[in-house]
Amino acid sequence: MSVEMIEPVPRPGILDIAAYVPGKEHAPGVARVYKLSSNETPLGASPKALEAFRRGAEQLERYPDGQAVELREAIAATYGLNFANILCGNGSDELLGLLCHVYLGTGDEAIITEHGFLVYKIQIMAAGATPVTVKEKDCTVDVDAILAAVTPKTKMVFIANPGNPTGTYVPVAEIRRLHAALPKNVLLVLDAAYAEYVKRNDYEAGIELVSANRNVVMTRTFSKVHGLAALRIGWIYAPAAIIDALNRVRGPFNMNAPAIAAGAAAIRDQAFVETAVAYNSLWLDKLTHALEAIGLKVTPSVTNFVLIHFPDVDGKRAAEADDFLTSRGYILRAVRGYGFANALRMSIGPEEANRGVIEALGEFMGRTA
């Protein structure tokens, strides 16, 4: 006998997905709040991007360019890429979801790492596939662990490089070694959201690997160094066949006109990008040394944030530090969901915020930097 349904029911697996929970934004009862939980740039957006946004908002009655030609041309010119191999989307989140929608299905597996971006697992499960989580080594992606997890069911491998929330990176030689050992039908997804910040000679965001192969894609974002998080702009560089497949299922107008205009202006303003990167490099070094000086462990980072580990001692753990900082208006990111129950992630913020956190954590730890 069939059971009568009293309401629509999601397909199997959907309700097993843990919804993404962003970092908190508010500190009740505090006059001045510094939000250091979302890796936003303290410099804001380029003035040229802001002006382009205003101009782009003058004709809101018109549909945007469904091909985002101006933005794709600007990206191609900046990085020396083929225009046809670029697809833009409503944040890199949309593009990651499209990849899963197109290349994964029931019975397939996709490999992620234990501290990888939570959206990977969400999108894999939403596509009906199975996420396979492998261990990292010293908060860094372990290529050998990934290769050991590959099976005939494996269809995708996701790597955040640099990683979030760890801030660590995988050298290009290791990425090439990983790719060389993967079956040709497995898609390697390189999420390079923080690539602009990396100043290491052995790092490569993925452009060269994508250009030379048919089973590698690179995703990027305008939410970090370009300061356009509110506009949700992401892009993917991929082989022509993959771009063609994604274009068949993406929304016809998946980006709005002001975002297209602002993004194009932002990526053309490389002087502003260089200023943002220089500021970040200065404070990444200062912040790391200051936090270590007051007795905290900091995972070495190449990004615009640091992962701070707290002592496993009553009164000094991450949760208690989080409450202490919040009461003073400093909002950091709890990262229990990423496998770090006793750590907080801190975005590099304005100078007064950075100095304030250092002072507050010195007080919390009973030491001064």
Side-chain angles (χ1 to χ4, degrees):
M1 179 182 298
S2 63
V3 178
E4 182 179 357
M5 295 293 182
I6 60 172
E7 61 183 12
V9 177
R11 64 175 171 78
I14 294 298
L15 297 183
D16 295 328
I17 299 172
Y20 182 82
V21 179
K24 63 185 179 181
E25 297 187 26
H26 306 289
V30 179
R32 178 68 189 272
V33 175
Y34 293 97
K35 180 171 172 264
L36 305 171
S37 59
S38 298
N39 301 339
E40 297 154 339
T41 172
L43 273 61
S46 158
K48 295 178 180 179
L50 294 174
E51 176 57 29
F53 176 83
R54 295 185 188 102
R55 291 197 307 271
E58 291 175 357
Q59 291 184 310
L60 297 184
E61 75 280 8
R62 297 189 181 278
Y63 281 99
D65 173 12
Q67 300 299 317
V69 170
E70 180 187 11
L71 179 54
R72 290 164 62 211
E73 286 180 341
I75 294 169
T78 299
Y79 291 103
L81 306 179
N82 185 345
F83 167 86
N85 293 98
I86 298 169
L87 176 66
C88 296
N90 186 36
S92 55
D93 293 346
E94 180 196 14
L95 301 171
L96 294 167
L98 284 174
L99 286 168
C100 292
H101 182 55
V102 170
Y103 288 98
L104 295 176
T106 303
D108 293 333
E109 295 178 350
I111 296 174
I112 57 179
T113 64
E114 66 174 320
H115 305 308
F117 189 29
L118 295 177
V119 167
Y120 306 153
K121 183 176 182 180
I122 291 172
Q123 296 293 359
I124 292 165
M125 295 178 69
T130 301
V132 176
T133 304
V134 302
K135 289 289 187 180
E136 295 187 9
K137 183 184 295 183
D138 298 326
C139 297
T140 305
V141 169
D142 184 344
V143 167
D144 290 318
I146 292 173
L147 293 175
V150 174
T151 74
K153 293 182 179 181
T154 305
K155 295 298 183 292
M156 297 179 77
V157 174
F158 287 88
I159 294 181
N161 195 29
N164 173 26
T166 61
T168 60
Y169 76 103
V170 184
V172 64
E174 280 292 276
I175 296 293
R176 289 174 180 156
R177 182 169 74 87
L178 168 63
H179 174 259
L182 289 175
K184 299 299 183 183
N185 68 315
V186 173
L187 181 59
L188 176 60
V189 181
L190 302 175
D191 180 358
Y194 299 92
E196 292 88 352
Y197 292 110
V198 187
K199 299 302 175 187
R200 302 294 176 89
N201 291 333
D202 59 349
Y203 173 80
E204 207 275 319
I207 289 174
E208 293 180 5
L209 208 59
V210 174
S211 298
N213 296 281
R214 301 175 65 182
N215 65 332
V216 187
V217 302
M218 175 192 70
T219 61
R220 301 285 283 268
T221 182
F222 280 75
S223 296
K224 306 306 177 186
V225 76
H226 296 293
L228 297 177
L231 296 185
R232 312 307 304 126
I233 308 172
W235 60 282
I236 187 170
Y237 178 54
I242 292 176
I243 294 293
D244 175 66
L246 299 181
N247 267 322
R248 292 171 185 267
V249 298
R250 72 172 176 89
F253 301 103
N254 63 329
M255 294 194 66
N256 67 75
I260 292 171
I267 202 164
R268 291 189 187 110
D269 192 356
Q270 286 298 303
F272 184 85
V273 172
E274 291 171 6
T275 298
V277 171
Y279 175 89
N280 186 78
S281 296
L282 174 69
W283 274 102
L284 178 62
D285 185 62
K286 284 186 175 183
L287 198 59
T288 299
H289 284 94
L291 293 173
E292 290 175 340
I294 58 178
L296 294 167
K297 178 185 175 183
V298 179
T299 298
S301 174
V302 296
T303 61
N304 68 333
F305 59 84
V306 290
L307 184 65
I308 309 167
H309 304 267
F310 290 82
D312 189 15
V313 176
D314 287 348
K316 302 297 181 185
R317 296 187 178 91
E320 294 152 326
D322 194 19
D323 290 341
F324 185 89
L325 290 167
T326 300
S327 70
R328 285 155 176 76
Y330 302 108
I331 299 178
L332 275 61
R333 181 73 149 98
V335 284
R336 289 182 294 274
Y338 285 95
F340 295 106
N342 199 26
L344 297 174
R345 189 192 69 193
M346 176 186 171
S347 311
I348 293 173
E351 180 174 350
E352 62 269 25
N354 299 333
R355 294 191 184 281
V357 170
I358 293 168
E359 182 178 351
L361 284 178
E363 181 183 348
F364 175 77
M365 294 292 293
R367 302 173 65 175
T368 57

